[in-house]
Amino acid sequence: MLTFVGLGLYDERSVTVAGRDAIRDADRVFAEFYTSRLVGTDLETLEATLETTIEIRDRAGIEQDPEPILTAAESEDVVFCTAGDTMVSTTHTDLRLRAADRGIETRIVHGTTAQTAAGSLTGLQNYRFGKATTLPFEDAHGGDGVPDSVVATIEDNRDRDLHTLVYLDIKVDDPHWDESDDTYMTASHAADLLSESFPDTLGVVVARAGSSDPLVVADTLDDLAAQSFGAPLHLLVIPGELHPLEADALESLAGADLE
């Protein structure tokens, strides 16, 4: 059996009871934290809380050499963990299909995702979110400013009065990334990058979703670029046309100036 478990958004308490039980009952537990991570905890605390030993795999160890996970799952109960939800925030469908090809039974224990948290915390209606996008560091995509694909996604959503969830780049265990550089893109950096393509545009920052003190701030991208939002992880939402209830929510929950 290979069970995919989403650990949720923030710390060792974010995993569901079903996920915790699956991890505790497993013979071996693997995890990756290169796409996202639980910034409110560390590996030692996570292992102590879940009463297990976690074997960390890097990107190459998942995408290019999944054999240790698959071989173990042929004869043992194996759990593979990621932050968020393993099939939403991070898609590991390839690993699941490889397991199925070898006759290994699979199941999924879902975790809370950034997208649902963004809707819940901001008051923006979940069904009005369009296609999401990821904003990379400039050095990561080898160009200047914002990639055309990111701009196009936001423009297409806004044309249809839909909100855009912008995931912000994370560089963890990337051999091509200088450790002296920022690991987590901040919402202020993202707002600064996007403000050139979208001047005088409303943005909503969500910081530390899933923690006991999440922060939600709505302002123009230019003004958000000049602010600091504390520790990671950060998300940025570019809203489409607001429903009156959504406008009221941003005023009450995120300090938006409706004028």
Side-chain angles (χ1 to χ4, degrees):
M1 168 77 79
L2 176 58
T3 301
F4 295 82
V5 175
L7 295 174
L9 292 176
Y10 187 70
D11 61 18
E12 71 280 359
R13 300 169 299 170
S14 299
V15 65
T16 65
V17 173
R20 179 202 65 190
D21 290 347
I23 290 169
R24 289 178 177 176
D25 291 342
D27 297 307
R28 293 179 70 178
V29 179
F30 296 87
E32 66 87 348
F33 294 115
Y34 55 82
T35 51
S36 187
R37 60 174 47 191
L38 304 176
V39 296
T41 191
D42 55 31
L43 180 60
E44 182 179 2
T45 302
L46 190 61
E47 289 180 322
T49 301
L50 299 177
E51 301 174 2
T52 193
T53 298
I54 299 175
E55 303 175 51
I56 305 299
R57 303 286 287 173
D58 60 13
R59 185 184 294 273
I62 299 298
E63 298 176 356
Q64 300 174 28
D65 183 27
E67 191 62 28
I69 299 174
L70 296 171
T71 299
E74 287 182 321
S75 59
E76 300 176 291
D77 285 332
V78 173
V79 163
F80 175 70
C81 303
T82 70
D85 185 293
T86 57
M87 296 298 170
V88 178
S89 297
T90 305
T91 301
H92 290 294
T93 303
D94 179 69
L95 183 60
R96 190 182 185 197
L97 293 177
R98 288 172 184 258
D101 287 343
R102 293 166 66 152
I104 299 169
E105 185 179 357
T106 64
R107 68 185 178 115
I108 299 172
V109 181
H110 297 286
T112 307
T113 69
Q115 181 159 352
T116 57
S120 299
L121 289 169
T122 61
L124 298 174
Q125 296 167 4
N126 184 62
Y127 71 90
R128 297 195 63 231
F129 278 80
K131 178 183 176 182
T133 189
T134 298
L135 180 61
F137 284 109
E138 290 178 283
D139 290 344
H141 69 88
D144 295 325
V146 179
D148 292 342
S149 59
V150 175
V151 174
T153 295
I154 297 172
E155 288 178 340
D156 289 346
N157 285 338
R158 284 168 61 84
D159 286 344
R160 293 182 292 155
D161 291 337
L162 298 177
H163 313 315
T164 305
L165 177 60
V166 183
Y167 295 102
L168 307 185
D169 205 358
I170 297 173
K171 292 299 179 187
V172 177
D173 298 329
D174 186 336
H176 306 293
W177 195 252
D178 191 331
E179 292 183 0
S180 65
D181 293 332
D182 290 334
T183 301
Y184 305 99
M185 181 181 288
T186 65
S188 54
H189 185 176
D192 183 50
L193 290 174
L194 290 171
S195 63
E196 183 174 346
S197 298
F198 301 97
D200 301 319
T201 297
L202 178 68
V204 188
V205 171
V206 178
R208 295 174 297 283
S211 74
S212 60
D213 62 339
L215 178 68
V216 183
V217 179
D219 211 327
T220 64
L221 291 174
D222 290 313
D223 286 338
L224 292 174
Q227 301 180 43
S228 177
F229 305 102
L233 293 173
H234 296 177
L235 297 167
L236 184 63
V237 180
I238 309 298
E241 188 71 24
L242 296 174
H243 182 280
L245 184 62
E246 293 178 309
D248 289 343
L250 289 183
E251 182 181 40
S252 177
L253 303 176
D257 180 353
L258 294 186
E259 295 300 322

